[in-house]
Amino acid sequence: MKDGQLAVFFRNNHFSTMVKEGGSLYLLVTDLGFLDQKDVVWETLDSVQGDTVFVDKQFKVVESRGTQILNISLLPIKSTVISLILEHSLY
């Protein structure tokens, strides 16, 4: 993949939008647990072990606010939620 190129990533029966930026791979955050965290847009795909870092739309690390994130990524996500997240990431 080239920097800036989008792709579809499939893992654990789940499709994700993937982009390469600065030589690193990122997945679009679509977990409803992040809906109120407007600055979280992408997560790193450095490891499949779950050690992930969240970044904003400019790929800058988002510091943890010390809040517990509800992991509900396996629930079906409505297209409107995905559209909102995509729209947010493009600006």
Side-chain angles (χ1 to χ4, degrees):
M1 280 181 71
K2 298 177 183 178
D3 273 4
Q5 186 175 7
L6 292 172
V8 176
F9 181 74
F10 185 78
R11 173 178 65 177
N12 297 335
N13 254 358
H14 181 74
F15 288 99
S16 297
T17 301
M18 182 170 59
V19 67
K20 184 175 181 184
E21 188 66 38
S24 296
L25 295 174
Y26 297 91
L27 298 176
L28 183 66
V29 175
T30 58
D31 190 315
L32 291 177
F34 291 95
L35 192 58
D36 292 330
Q37 295 192 25
K38 304 292 185 208
D39 48 349
V40 173
V41 179
W42 301 98
E43 65 178 301
T44 58
L45 184 63
D46 295 336
S47 168
V48 293
Q49 302 301 324
D51 299 333
T52 188
V53 175
F54 296 99
V55 297
D56 63 12
K57 63 184 178 183
Q58 297 174 331
F59 300 96
K60 295 184 180 171
V61 175
V62 174
E63 297 298 324
S64 172
R65 295 188 187 127
T67 58
Q68 186 73 7
I69 302 299
L70 176 63
N71 186 359
I72 53 175
S73 60
L74 297 179
L75 294 178
I77 298 174
K78 292 185 177 181
S79 61
T80 54
V81 173
I82 294 173
S83 296
L84 287 172
I85 294 171
L86 281 171
E87 179 180 310
H88 177 72
S89 69
L90 296 175
Y91 296 102

